[in-house]
Amino acid sequence: MNKSTTQDRVSVLEIKGKEYLFYDRLDANVALLRGTTADESGNITMEDECLFCENLAAAQLVTNMGGTVIVQVKRMVKNGELDPQQVRIPGIFVNAVVIAETEEDHMQTFAEVMNHEYCGRGQQQQTKKTSRVLDAKKIIARRAALELTQGAVLNYGIGAPEVIAEVTDEEGVTELVKATVEPGAIGGTPAGGLSFGATAFPEAIITQDQMFDFYDGGGIDQAFLGLAECDQKGDLNVSKFGPKIAGCGGFINITQNAKQVFFCGTFTAGKLQISSGDGQLTIIEDGHIRKFINQVQQITFSSDTARANHKPVLYITERAVFRLVDAGLELIEIAPGIDLARDVLDQMEFMPLISDQLKMMDERIFIDKPMGLTLAHSTERAA
């Protein structure tokens, strides 16, 4: 068995009366990295890569541990041909270079061999895509987009949140906000699906460790993350489901440090089928897995920490919107066409608070045409 799976990698330390998690250093001795072009001295540029990630940090770590750094590239050039300002991994940190034999051996993302838009190349006006059908994810993304504020620095998570970027493109407001993704891209339109992490026409790309320094410092104005499992306190679990461990990723860093947090996901999981487009929402078949349960299996987002920090938190689904309050979750909106008891309360394991001002979600969300979205400034509610 690998040694790292039998040793504790994390311990709890108390500093000035507060508990913190201390992560032991990883004593890595091999790094498998990638770039675009290498010269004869092993200097690496990344002009065709959509992200830089932690390539430099990993190469430095392994080099300092006396290990071996291996970098896969598309091509080799002679010394002196690379622009030194474009070198992302200096040759002093590289032990071996491997040239990919085919483009398919050097996929830019899990889904695409090479998309020049992710490197900011090509004509942006020629990339207009067909509008997404009005499915549950788009309904959720539209409702979330109503919360966007002009000039806000954002983070979009995987799943329903990634569709918000499609909505802002469709509504023509993408340039009014600054989207970021944790691997390092800033601005532009974040990609979805198996290309998640890449961004079309980004304004800048930094390394992933630099991006998390920014996130941990509270730099994100609004974060839109997935909603997998939520309990009556408002705690979320996106990391452990029975014996399956998906892991926390950057979820904790982002949600506990962003100024506003919006959790976005379908109300139930499984074979959910809906119908919409005429201003109403109809549940044809509900999902067989309840997501609003008495107690989550693992706390990936702590509602108590959010309350202590007075953080505004919304939970956005295709049929209902909740907000975090001192006593738990408060239902503040339901979709037009939805039966409160049958479609919402009966599909939950607990009874939420119900706002005295419970209202219908904006009808525009459920009409199959652009909403005419305009973004408010940070002191206003979007309209």
Side-chain angles (χ1 to χ4, degrees):
M1 182 179 289
N2 188 300
K3 183 179 178 182
S4 65
T5 63
T6 60
Q7 290 182 324
D8 288 336
R9 306 300 305 185
V10 185
S11 56
V12 179
L13 293 181
E14 185 174 305
I15 302 174
K16 293 185 177 181
K18 293 184 65 176
E19 289 186 342
Y20 293 88
L21 294 179
F22 176 76
Y23 290 80
D24 289 337
R25 183 182 69 181
L26 293 174
D27 295 336
N29 55 20
V30 175
L32 301 174
L33 308 175
R34 58 176 283 158
T36 302
T37 307
D39 68 12
E40 297 165 317
S41 295
N43 295 301
I44 309 293
T45 58
M46 302 179 69
E47 62 270 20
D48 286 352
E49 310 305 311
C50 56
L51 297 162
F52 305 144
C53 296
E54 313 97 324
N55 277 306
L56 176 58
Q60 290 175 314
L61 166 68
V62 171
T63 296
N64 289 342
M65 296 302 301
T68 302
V69 177
I70 304 168
V71 184
Q72 177 176 297
V73 297
K74 289 184 175 182
R75 64 187 75 91
M76 290 281 295
V77 298
K78 295 184 179 298
N79 284 341
E81 291 188 23
L82 295 181
D83 179 349
Q85 292 186 323
Q86 298 303 312
V87 171
R88 299 294 173 181
I89 310 175
I92 60 172
F93 305 131
V94 178
N95 299 103
V97 173
V98 177
I99 302 175
E101 294 184 357
T102 67
E103 285 191 332
E104 287 71 21
D105 291 331
H106 201 85
M107 298 276 288
Q108 190 182 36
T109 71
F110 288 112
E112 299 172 78
V113 173
M114 180 66 198
N115 186 335
H116 291 282
E117 295 179 5
Y118 298 154
C119 304
R121 300 197 288 265
Q123 297 298 315
Q124 191 165 356
Q125 62 268 25
Q126 295 177 2
T127 64
K128 185 174 177 60
K129 300 177 178 61
T130 303
S131 295
R132 183 187 182 99
V133 298
L134 193 59
D135 58 7
K137 285 186 176 181
K138 185 172 183 179
I139 290 171
I140 296 163
R142 282 180 152 192
R143 174 59 187 85
L146 294 179
E147 299 294 333
L148 291 170
T149 55
Q150 189 168 330
V153 178
L154 314 174
N155 175 268
Y156 296 138
I158 296 174
E162 68 192 47
V163 183
I164 299 171
E166 297 180 36
V167 171
T168 61
D169 271 0
E170 182 178 288
E171 299 288 339
V173 298
T174 295
E175 293 183 359
L176 300 181
V177 294
K178 297 294 182 185
T180 70
V181 287
E182 47 265 44
I186 299 170
T189 303
L194 291 176
S195 291
F196 182 82
T199 295
F201 298 103
E203 295 179 13
I205 300 174
I206 60 177
T207 64
Q208 183 161 254
D209 48 311
Q210 291 169 330
M211 184 65 84
F212 271 98
D213 285 343
F214 174 62
Y215 286 175
D216 291 340
I220 292 295
D221 296 314
Q222 297 181 301
F224 298 83
L225 282 297
L227 195 167
E229 193 176 72
C230 178
D231 67 19
Q232 55 192 327
K233 283 185 62 180
D235 292 337
L236 250 73
N237 168 35
V238 300
S239 51
K240 184 179 186 297
F241 305 95
K244 297 181 179 179
I245 301 176
C248 302
F251 199 89
I252 297 172
N253 307 67
I254 296 167
T255 58
Q256 297 295 0
N257 293 301
K259 297 177 182 68
Q260 291 180 298
V261 179
F262 306 89
F263 295 115
C264 308
T266 55
F267 195 80
T268 59
K271 298 179 180 179
L272 173 65
Q273 294 184 45
I274 62 111
S275 175
S276 190
D278 59 353
Q280 303 278 309
L281 176 66
T282 302
I283 308 299
I284 298 172
E285 180 180 355
D286 225 323
H288 64 285
I289 300 173
R290 291 185 178 181
K291 296 171 69 172
F292 288 87
I293 60 177
N294 289 320
Q295 185 174 2
V296 295
Q297 300 173 57
Q298 187 173 73
I299 298 175
T300 328
F301 168 77
S302 168
S303 60
D304 285 341
T305 301
R307 290 186 189 93
N309 293 331
H310 307 289
K311 186 188 303 295
V313 181
L314 288 187
Y315 305 75
I316 300 171
T317 76
E318 80 287 351
R319 70 186 77 171
V321 179
F322 302 86
R323 67 180 172 193
L324 183 67
V325 295
D326 288 343
L329 291 189
E330 180 183 37
L331 178 63
I332 59 173
E333 297 178 24
I334 60 172
I338 288 297
D339 183 273
L340 174 61
R342 181 193 66 222
D343 298 323
V344 179
L345 301 180
D346 289 352
Q347 303 302 321
M348 304 174 70
E349 291 186 1
F350 61 91
M351 177 62 69
L353 299 173
I354 300 178
S355 173
D356 293 337
Q357 287 80 44
L358 180 66
K359 64 180 183 179
M360 291 293 175
M361 295 167 68
D362 194 321
E363 185 184 61
R364 294 176 298 168
I365 298 169
F366 305 94
I367 297 175
D368 198 7
K369 65 178 183 179
M371 296 189 295
L373 180 67
T374 58
L375 303 191
H377 294 281
S378 59
T379 56
E380 306 172 52
R381 167 71 188 276

